[in-house]
């Protein structure tokens, strides 16, 4: 089983602040606009227009980021999502922890959420679309000639 890691990670039961349940998240993102909140991993995936732009994992909120927005998170002292397996620590550089101060700034949180959605849309646009699989024509294998000799009729 994987566990979360990081200097600023706190177990959700020990973490100060509001519980990240579905009702709280709906209220938190209300200034942003309508969102879909789905159960995912050990938390929730938050999406708008079918694109996931935020994750809540073990009580911590992460927003989608890319080269255009990562510097904002770094300036706030935020860290990317990371987890540890038995073999190594995996850092997911596309999701960064929401700065705690934004939980009390609904308008600014809405702006960061719009930027996270834009980052998710850019990432989706860069993904190569799955090419429609060409239907293979089924060509029957040629029948093997029998090695048996047919009876000779005279």
């Amino acid at each position: 089983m994987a566990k979360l890691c990081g200097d600023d990670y706190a177990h959700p039961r020990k973490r100060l602040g509001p519980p990240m349940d579905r009702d709280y998240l709906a209220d938190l993102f209300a200034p942003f606009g309508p969102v879909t909140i789905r159960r995912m991993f050990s938390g929730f995936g938050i999406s708008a227009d079918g694109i996931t732009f935020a994750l809540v994992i073990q009580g911590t909120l992460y927003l989608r980021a890319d080269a255009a927005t990562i510097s904002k998170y770094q300036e706030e002292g935020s860290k990317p999502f990371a987890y540890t397996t038995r073999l190594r620590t995996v850092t997911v550089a596309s999701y960064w922890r929401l700065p705690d101060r934004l939980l009390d700034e609904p308008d600014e949180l809405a702006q960061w959420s719009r930027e996270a959605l834009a980052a998710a849309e850019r990432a989706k646009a860069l993904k190569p679309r799955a090419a429609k699989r060409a239907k293979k024509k089924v060509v029957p294998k040629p029948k093997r000639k029998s090695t048996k000799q047919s009876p000779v009729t005279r």
Side-chain angles (χ1 to χ4, degrees):
M1 175 156 175
K3 68 176 187 173
L4 296 177
C5 64
D7 299 335
D8 55 357
Y9 173 72
H11 191 278
R13 291 189 187 107
K14 296 177 186 172
R15 188 171 179 216
L16 298 176
M20 294 280 178
D21 62 15
R22 191 179 297 268
D23 292 334
Y24 176 76
L25 292 169
D27 289 343
L28 186 66
F29 285 99
F32 166 77
V35 295
T36 301
I37 302 169
R38 292 199 174 124
R39 195 88 178 105
M40 177 183 270
F41 310 118
S42 60
F44 299 98
I46 302 162
S47 59
D49 300 324
I51 299 174
T52 300
F53 69 93
L55 301 174
V56 176
I57 300 174
Q58 293 191 356
T60 302
L61 182 58
Y62 297 89
L63 293 179
R64 181 73 189 231
D66 63 6
T69 58
I70 285 176
S71 61
K72 284 181 69 170
Y73 291 91
Q74 291 171 331
E75 289 170 8
E76 292 278 343
S78 183
K79 303 241 187 257
F81 171 66
Y83 62 93
T84 302
T85 67
R86 284 186 282 163
L87 303 175
R88 64 190 176 113
T89 298
V90 178
T91 300
V92 182
S94 57
Y95 282 93
W96 284 66
R97 183 181 173 139
L98 178 76
D100 288 338
R101 71 175 185 80
L102 294 178
L103 295 174
D104 297 323
E105 301 288 339
D107 293 333
E108 195 172 354
L109 173 61
Q111 180 58 37
W112 281 58
S113 298
R114 283 189 281 280
E115 291 171 5
L117 178 60
E121 288 170 337
R122 286 190 294 271
K124 183 178 179 181
L126 291 176
K127 276 188 179 179
R129 292 189 178 200
K132 291 183 180 179
R133 294 184 185 208
K135 292 184 179 180
K136 293 182 180 179
K137 291 183 181 179
V138 179
V139 179
K141 291 183 180 179
K143 293 184 180 179
R144 290 176 31 182
K145 292 184 178 177
S146 174
T147 56
K148 294 181 184 177
Q149 293 183 357
S150 55
V152 178
T153 56
R154 293 186 195 190

